[in-house]
Amino acid sequence: PGVAIRTSLIVGFPSETDKEFKELVDFIEEVRFERLGAFIYSREEGTAAYDFQGQLPPRVKSERLDVIMSRQQEVSRGANNKFLGSTIDVLIEEEEKDPQPFSLDGYRVYLGRSQYDAPQVDGAVYVNSAKKLKPGDFVKVKVTDTLEYDLVGEVQR
């Protein structure tokens, strides 16, 4: 209790077979990571994998990412629903430039992350606050709504 298991993975690595990809999908469904970042392999000059045989077509890599993310969406939604009504610590990263549809009347909206979220990979916490906050602030946030990958909440006084 109180921990989240997270991982990041790459799909479409050269020579990745349909069987290997299915094993990966089965593994993700079995483990049910609370947080998962998935990326498409990109061929980068100067890397050892650049000249590997079996480079996969962009369409196949994209389809595989879609499969992974659609499976993860269900898992993430369930994991986030467990936070509804609870109070969590959130690190504020920035003020939200387009606060709709998350803003409450008279409140500013900030983007933050919980202890379970890797920066620039996992979801965010949309934080409503009556007082001005700054990046680096830690605040207690009551979760009032959940999304597929994100949480929405209000700063507690």
Side-chain angles (χ1 to χ4, degrees), residues 1 9 21 34 59 65 76 93 95 111 116 118 120 126 134 150:
L9 53 94
F21 178 70
E34 284 89 356
R59 176 188 56 77
L65 179 67
S76 180
E93 294 185 327
E95 188 166 355
L111 281 177
Y116 309 108
Q120 300 175 338
Y126 291 92
K134 62 184 184 309
D150 304 317

Side-chain angles (χ1 to χ4, degrees), residues 4-7 9 23-36 72 75 79 82:
I5 298 176
R6 76 154 322 281
T7 194
L9 53 94
E23 287 177 20
L24 177 62
V25 172
D26 291 346
F27 176 71
I28 289 168
E29 289 178 341
E30 179 184 336
V31 174
R32 301 185 64 81
F33 294 98
E34 284 89 356
R35 301 290 189 264
L36 180 139
Q72 182 59 25
V75 173
K82 293 177 185 173

Side-chain angles (χ1 to χ4, degrees), residues 10-65:
I10 296 173
V11 296
F13 195 78
S15 77
E16 178 184 78
T17 65
D18 291 341
K19 181 181 179 212
E20 290 168 333
F21 178 70
K22 183 183 178 328
E23 287 177 20
L24 177 62
V25 172
D26 291 346
F27 176 71
I28 289 168
E29 289 178 341
E30 179 184 336
V31 174
R32 301 185 64 81
F33 294 98
E34 284 89 356
R35 301 290 189 264
L36 180 139
F39 305 90
I40 292 175
Y41 164 78
S42 64
R43 195 172 181 198
E44 298 291 331
E45 226 174 306
T47 64
Y50 184 81
D51 292 323
F52 283 3
Q53 298 297 307
Q55 299 285 335
L56 299 179
R59 176 188 56 77
V60 170
K61 294 190 280 190
S62 186
E63 287 171 357
R64 289 181 178 181
L65 179 67

Side-chain angles (χ1 to χ4, degrees), residues 60-148:
V60 170
K61 294 190 280 190
S62 186
E63 287 171 357
R64 289 181 178 181
L65 179 67
D66 289 346
V67 167
I68 295 290
M69 294 314 294
S70 69
R71 298 300 199 294
Q72 182 59 25
Q73 200 172 62
E74 175 189 327
V75 173
S76 180
R77 185 181 292 120
N80 281 349
N81 283 340
K82 293 177 185 173
F83 287 104
L84 194 59
S86 68
T87 299
I88 60 173
D89 292 320
V90 174
L91 171 64
I92 299 300
E93 294 185 327
E94 64 183 295
E95 188 166 355
E96 175 61 35
K97 291 158 187 58
D98 182 18
Q100 297 300 328
F102 308 109
S103 64
L104 299 172
D105 285 340
Y107 283 65
R108 295 173 183 254
V109 178
Y110 296 87
L111 281 177
R113 61 184 157 95
S114 73
Q115 66 187 21
Y116 309 108
D117 302 311
Q120 300 175 338
V121 177
D122 295 326
V125 182
Y126 291 92
V127 178
N128 282 277
S129 178
K131 70 175 193 165
K132 186 167 176 52
L133 302 174
K134 62 184 184 309
D137 286 346
F138 279 95
V139 293
K140 300 263 185 214
V141 174
K142 182 172 183 177
V143 178
T144 57
D145 196 7
T146 62
L147 307 168
E148 292 157 340

